[in-house]
Amino acid sequence: MAYLALYRKWRPQTFTEVVGQKHISVPLARAVAEDRIAHAYLFSGPRGTGKTSMAKILAKAVNCEHRRGADPCNECRTCREITSGASLDVYEIDAASNRGIEEIRALKESVRSLPTVCRKKVYIIDEVHMLTKEAFNALLKTLEEPPQHVLFILATTEPEKIPLTILSRCQRYEFRRISTEDIRDHLLFIAEKSGFSLTEEVADLIAVRAEGGLRDALSLLDQCTGAAGGQTLTAPMVYDLLGLTGKDRILSLAGRILRRESGAALTEFSAILSDGKEPSAVLGELLAHFRDVMIAKVQPDAPELSIYGDAKAQLLAEAAALSEPFLDALFESLHGTLSEMKRSASPRMSAEMGLLRLARLRGSRTLEGLLDRIEALERQMQQGLPAPMAASPVAASVPIPAAPPVPSAPAAPPAPAPEMPKPAPAPAVSQSVKAPVPSPETNTPPDAPQPKRAAAPRKATRKAAVSTPAPEPVTVPISTPTPAPQRELAGEPSVDLIPPDTYPALWKKILAHFMAIHRIDIYTCFSKSALIYAGGARAVISAPQPFIVQACNTEAFQKITAEAFRQCTGKALIPHTVLKGSPEEAQAKADAAAPPAPTAPQAGETAKPTAPASAEDGYVPVSKDALPQDPLLAAALKIVPDCDIYEKK
């Protein structure tokens, strides 16, 4: 007897045997049991999901001589003939090769005759979307009012190509892709019944590879079992038989890319190609791997991740280390490389250059990626520890090396510092750093006072705070004067505060400026907003809705709004929009209502030193030249070069 393919041998014969389509099999079975069969059905869905099988089961159910509930008996003459395709009353028509109007006219003539043996004549038209427009028009009347003894079952993978006039005359059922668990369980069941060995890992691999099509899964299983020659199927055998790259090699290649090991990534890629794989196929599987990383971030227990087996923990660690903006950049770069390979005269060269670009990626080019990097840098400076950038591709298996520790030494007693005038008091941001270690070439004892000079007070533009954890550190506070906007946010009023009672009139002038320069978009966003603070270097605007806040805080809006304030007030104010009712609005209103800051000393008066420079508080100025050679401290001073530094006595 000729060999029968697995997908034909294990084709479902009853409604209960259909895998993964209960939302269709249950209503159809109920309609058969209650004798409420419609005159036309449309089965649509992806390939290999059971459309034709369901049509044959329905044809047998309506014509079975000894039906068992809703399911056909599959033993009577009618059932056997329909199963074997020998029935004279069940027609299977391929619309791809019978798509013209002449074939539909012949079908209309056939419809008029009564069935030979069965109760109903059943017409199963597969790939019905391939019919021509004229053929559809010829079928309309017959499909709408067929004789009582006729049943139409249309099947298609592209229902959007079928005219609405046809769709409206049918009961439509959408077949879904079959889940990975259902396909895996069915493969294990078939392996058990067929008497060959199949592991769950191989069943998972085939189920994922089938992409929701049970027929594809059975064809892959048939191919692998035939090539195995009676041996137990293993995952490496399936990878080799199907021409796939093993997940361990894809994980290794992805890890080298994420660690920016360009040379090692190219070596790994060449080794994969030497096994007979195509460059486009390797990059396609690498793209699928990054998709799995994205799925692992949002759904760690997704069934399709089961194909990684013992390597799933590594996949989850990789997903935790990568940010969504960086994954977007990886997808964009890989898609561009794959498109370039289709047009390239040397696909391998294009693939290698694409891998080099992937290894050089450091984050997303989007605004969100840049914001993540800035926040990560701020955390690094505040904690004093190297932290991974939110948008940087750092694999979980590669630790970030910490800064080398600096040996600590006893602190030298500070020398008295001369008093000098200081600007208005500002909160100091202080963290601990180690005291300098005396050089072995000098004869200065460790406990000798170190010469220090006060740094000239200059305006700082940012805050900086660094610390190096070490046993028993000697604290040297690093104090940075807070910029004017930060002082105002901290509750310290600005000396340049514009009187709040002038805000309504000033805001009308700002809105009039927007109209004068024909920026209706900015005027519309700000028309329902209000100015609640203006002074120092900032202006705070209260908006009623979040989307207005987001729009007004964009760089383009802020630039034009700042120019409007400069035109109307003569001052360079940085605008910032907050949500009405938010804590930021309450703080800004409190700052506007606060009393004015103390005025500067008049002519002839002696300027008094600020509190941080007072010896009573235990702080004295320190020169930058007297600071220890610490890498983190050096990095902080590069970011905030204009700051005053104090040492605690």
Side-chain angles (χ1 to χ4, degrees):
M1 185 176 180
Y3 176 76
L4 198 62
L6 288 179
Y7 77 88
R8 295 180 59 190
K9 181 179 179 181
W10 293 95
R11 184 188 293 272
Q13 301 299 328
T14 62
F15 290 114
T16 54
E17 292 179 4
V18 178
V19 178
Q21 307 293 347
K22 288 187 176 180
H23 66 291
I24 297 176
S25 59
V26 172
L28 287 180
R30 185 177 296 115
V32 170
E34 297 176 359
D35 198 17
R36 297 178 58 187
I37 300 298
H39 65 277
Y41 292 92
L42 174 64
F43 294 163
S44 60
R47 69 183 189 279
T49 52
K51 299 184 294 296
T52 305
S53 298
M54 187 74 77
K56 285 190 173 183
I57 294 172
L58 182 58
K60 288 190 292 185
V62 297
N63 291 310
C64 181
E65 300 173 6
H66 309 291
R67 195 171 61 209
R68 299 169 182 173
D71 290 331
C73 67
N74 291 312
E75 297 176 356
C76 65
R77 175 188 173 186
T78 302
C79 290
R80 292 198 307 269
E81 289 180 350
I82 295 176
T83 301
S84 62
S87 177
L88 298 176
D89 297 321
V90 177
Y91 300 85
E92 293 187 51
I93 303 173
D94 178 21
S97 55
N98 299 277
R99 57 193 306 262
I101 190 172
E102 295 299 330
E103 287 81 0
I104 299 302
R105 286 174 178 171
L107 183 148
K108 293 173 62 176
E109 293 296 329
S110 173
V111 163
R112 297 176 182 177
S113 61
L114 293 173
T116 305
V117 178
C118 302
R119 297 190 183 95
K120 282 182 176 289
K121 297 182 72 171
V122 182
Y123 292 86
I124 303 174
I125 306 178
D126 201 5
E127 299 299 332
V128 69
H129 65 274
M130 298 294 290
L131 291 178
T132 63
K133 180 180 179 181
E134 293 77 10
F136 275 124
N137 291 335
L139 184 62
L140 277 179
K141 190 61 177 178
T142 303
L143 189 65
E144 182 178 11
E145 297 178 358
Q148 293 292 331
H149 58 271
V150 173
L151 171 62
F152 284 100
I153 304 177
L154 314 181
T156 180
T157 55
E158 301 180 31
E160 65 277 2
K161 294 184 178 180
I162 300 178
L164 295 178
T165 52
I166 297 292
L167 293 176
S168 63
R169 288 165 168 80
C170 303
Q171 285 193 13
R172 182 173 175 180
Y173 289 92
E174 284 283 350
F175 284 70
R176 304 169 183 169
R177 293 188 183 274
I178 305 174
S179 66
T180 304
E181 299 95 326
D182 290 340
I183 295 179
R184 178 196 59 204
D185 295 341
H186 194 62
L187 293 179
L188 293 173
F189 170 77
I190 291 176
E192 180 182 357
K193 294 296 184 181
S194 300
F196 55 83
S197 179
L198 181 67
T199 63
E200 290 191 4
E201 183 180 5
V202 173
D204 283 328
L205 176 59
I206 295 177
V208 173
R209 184 69 178 174
E211 297 181 349
L214 186 57
R215 184 174 63 229
D216 292 357
L218 292 175
S219 297
L220 292 174
L221 179 62
D222 205 356
Q223 176 183 351
C224 294
T225 53
Q231 301 179 8
T232 301
L233 274 176
T234 60
M237 292 175 60
V238 174
Y239 278 118
D240 187 56
L241 290 171
L242 301 182
L244 304 175
T245 305
K247 288 300 180 184
D248 54 342
R249 306 194 72 172
I250 292 295
L251 280 169
S252 176
L253 178 60
R256 296 185 188 280
I257 291 173
L258 297 178
R259 292 190 294 270
R260 304 191 185 100
E261 300 173 1
S262 303
L266 290 182
T267 302
E268 184 78 26
F269 182 66
S270 298
I272 295 174
L273 294 184
S274 64
D275 293 339
K277 306 298 187 297
E278 289 294 328
S280 58
V282 177
L283 292 192
E285 293 183 34
L286 185 62
L287 186 64
H289 168 72
F290 287 131
R291 170 191 176 271
D292 293 338
V293 173
M294 178 185 64
I295 292 176
K297 288 184 71 69
V298 299
Q299 190 180 359
D301 55 347
E304 51 261 46
L305 302 182
S306 58
I307 60 174
Y308 285 86
D310 297 336
K312 185 178 178 180
Q314 181 180 351
L315 176 72
L316 295 177
E318 187 176 296
L322 299 180
S323 68
E324 293 180 3
F326 182 66
L327 280 175
D328 291 341
L330 287 175
F331 274 102
E332 181 182 357
S333 180
L334 261 180
H335 273 297
T337 302
L338 287 171
S339 300
E340 179 185 346
M341 289 175 63
K342 296 178 181 179
R343 304 185 301 269
S344 175
S346 177
R348 175 170 180 171
M349 185 183 301
S350 299
E352 290 172 343
M353 296 305 298
L355 292 178
L356 289 178
R357 285 194 294 269
L358 286 180
R360 289 196 301 267
L361 280 178
R362 292 183 177 272
S364 175
R365 292 184 288 271
T366 61
L367 179 61
E368 293 80 1
L370 296 177
L371 291 176
D372 290 342
R373 297 178 64 184
I374 293 173
E375 292 175 359
L377 181 60
E378 290 177 350
R379 288 196 301 268
Q380 179 181 2
M381 300 305 300
Q382 291 172 0
Q383 300 174 3
L385 296 174
M389 291 293 186
S392 296
V394 181
S397 59
V398 183
I400 306 174
V406 180
S408 59
E419 294 185 354
M420 58 187 301
K422 299 288 291 182
V429 181
S430 304
Q431 297 292 342
S432 299
V433 299
K434 298 180 181 61
V437 180
S439 172
E441 288 93 5
T442 62
N443 297 326
T444 306
D447 55 350
Q450 301 292 330
K452 303 178 180 65
R453 59 184 178 86
R458 299 172 64 185
K459 183 178 179 181
T461 57
R462 293 187 62 183
K463 299 189 295 181
V466 296
S467 65
T468 303
E472 301 179 359
V474 178
T475 60
V476 180
I478 299 176
S479 174
T480 304
T482 310
Q486 300 297 331
R487 290 199 301 269
E488 294 158 7
L489 286 174
E492 196 171 325
S494 170
V495 296
D496 298 328
L497 179 66
I498 298 177
D501 55 355
T502 63
Y503 290 168
L506 175 58
W507 189 238
K508 289 182 179 180
K509 293 176 62 179
I510 298 293
L511 295 178
H513 175 80
F514 293 146
M515 293 295 294
I517 63 175
H518 306 291
R519 289 309 300 263
I520 308 300
D521 53 342
I522 304 180
Y523 174 83
T524 304
C525 289
F526 279 136
S527 60
K528 296 184 180 180
S529 304
L531 179 65
I532 58 175
Y533 182 89
R538 67 177 183 132
V540 182
I541 305 161
S542 174
Q545 296 180 356
F547 74 90
I548 297 180
V549 175
Q550 184 177 2
C552 296
N553 282 331
T554 58
E555 182 180 356
F557 274 40
Q558 285 185 327
K559 183 177 179 180
I560 297 176
T561 308
E563 177 63 20
F565 274 103
R566 191 186 67 80
Q567 293 284 348
C568 297
T569 65
K571 298 180 180 180
L573 301 179
I574 301 176
H576 178 66
T577 307
V578 300
L579 184 63
K580 185 176 182 180
S582 65
E584 292 178 327
E585 182 195 43
Q587 181 64 50
K589 289 183 177 180
D591 292 344
T599 58
Q602 301 295 329
E605 295 183 2
T606 304
K608 298 182 181 180
T610 58
S614 174
E616 298 178 359
D617 292 339
Y619 292 93
V620 294
V622 178
S623 171
K624 294 182 181 179
D625 299 334
L627 295 177
Q629 298 300 321
D630 184 87
L632 289 177
L633 182 58
L637 292 177
K638 287 182 180 179
I639 299 175
V640 191
D642 302 331
C643 61
D644 296 332
I645 307 172
Y646 297 89
E647 178 185 22
K648 188 172 180 61
K649 295 178 57 178

